[in-house]
Amino acid sequence: MASAFSHALVAYAIGRSHLWTVNAKRFWTLTVFCSIAPDLDVLAFIVGIPYEHVLGHRGLTHSLLFACVFGVGVVRFGFPTVLLASTDGKRLVAHFSLVTASHGFLDAFTNGGLGVAFFAPIENSRYFFPWTPVKVSPIGIFSFFSEWGIQVLANELCWIGIPVGVWLLGMGLVSGRKERHDRH
């Protein structure tokens, strides 16, 4: 898996890609939560569910179906006054679904594990992308704060942090240019 830091950074970039009119604190809290929520499946190890099981790590909670259902649930319960069928509701569902799905996509770029079950529960095959430059992150807080964890962060800075930074910088330049244009 990519680290929680990288998942949150990508979610932040996705969130900054649009203007939002909802409660900002709740929006950003739920955005970060959705970006790391799929990894709650590591709790399956505690109850003896094997990694390769549909409920194991990188299984159902990393699937596209889960991302869509989770996105709907986050909007329904996180923004109860927003109607799901409204324009704002649809935009929020798309955002939270995409942020949740981004977790599996980042994990599919890693060089370890069993892959991601994008199509669970319908089909439990695990997938990686053909190019896997991201070092797999250790599971567990204590394991993360080790030499391996430092190597992961350096690797993620290169493969995730810099591209996200360029994306955010580009968006800032475009929005600044648009603001200057709108004033004239």
Side-chain angles (χ1 to χ4, degrees):
M1 71 182 158
S3 73
F5 302 111
S6 287
H7 288 301
L9 181 63
V10 168
Y12 173 75
I14 293 169
R16 294 286 300 176
S17 298
H18 299 282
L19 296 175
W20 301 99
T21 58
V22 294
N23 177 300
K25 183 177 179 181
R26 185 176 310 152
F27 174 82
W28 289 111
T29 300
L30 291 171
T31 293
V32 170
F33 176 70
C34 286
S35 76
I36 58 175
D39 271 344
L40 291 174
D41 64 6
V42 298
L43 298 174
F45 291 132
I46 295 170
V47 295
I49 296 173
Y51 194 130
E52 63 277 358
H53 190 276
V54 71
L55 297 177
H57 185 50
R58 291 186 176 179
L60 182 63
T61 63
H62 285 60
S63 73
L64 298 173
L65 178 63
F66 176 84
C68 291
V69 171
F70 199 70
V72 169
V74 165
V75 175
R76 176 68 183 93
F77 297 107
F79 300 92
T81 60
V82 175
L83 297 175
L84 290 174
S86 70
T87 301
D88 284 344
K90 291 174 186 173
R91 287 182 67 222
L92 286 167
V93 167
H95 168 74
F96 290 115
S97 296
L98 178 60
V99 167
T100 305
S102 75
H103 185 106
F105 286 107
L106 277 182
D107 282 0
F109 280 112
T110 63
N111 64 359
L114 298 179
V116 177
F118 286 117
F119 306 108
I122 296 160
E123 200 261 321
N124 195 34
S125 295
R126 306 297 178 101
Y127 299 90
F128 284 105
F129 289 123
W131 185 52
T132 56
V134 178
K135 277 184 162 279
V136 71
S137 180
I139 295 175
I141 293 172
F142 297 113
S143 298
F144 188 79
F145 292 102
S146 65
E147 185 177 334
W148 181 7
I150 291 167
Q151 290 173 5
V152 166
L153 289 177
N155 174 268
E156 289 181 356
L157 175 64
C158 176
W159 295 111
I160 299 169
I162 291 172
V164 167
V166 168
W167 172 257
L168 291 170
L169 180 63
M171 284 190 334
L173 293 172
V174 168
S175 68
R177 192 175 294 157
K178 183 182 180 315
E179 287 174 14
R180 285 192 301 278
H181 177 354
D182 290 346
R183 281 185 268 171
H184 296 289

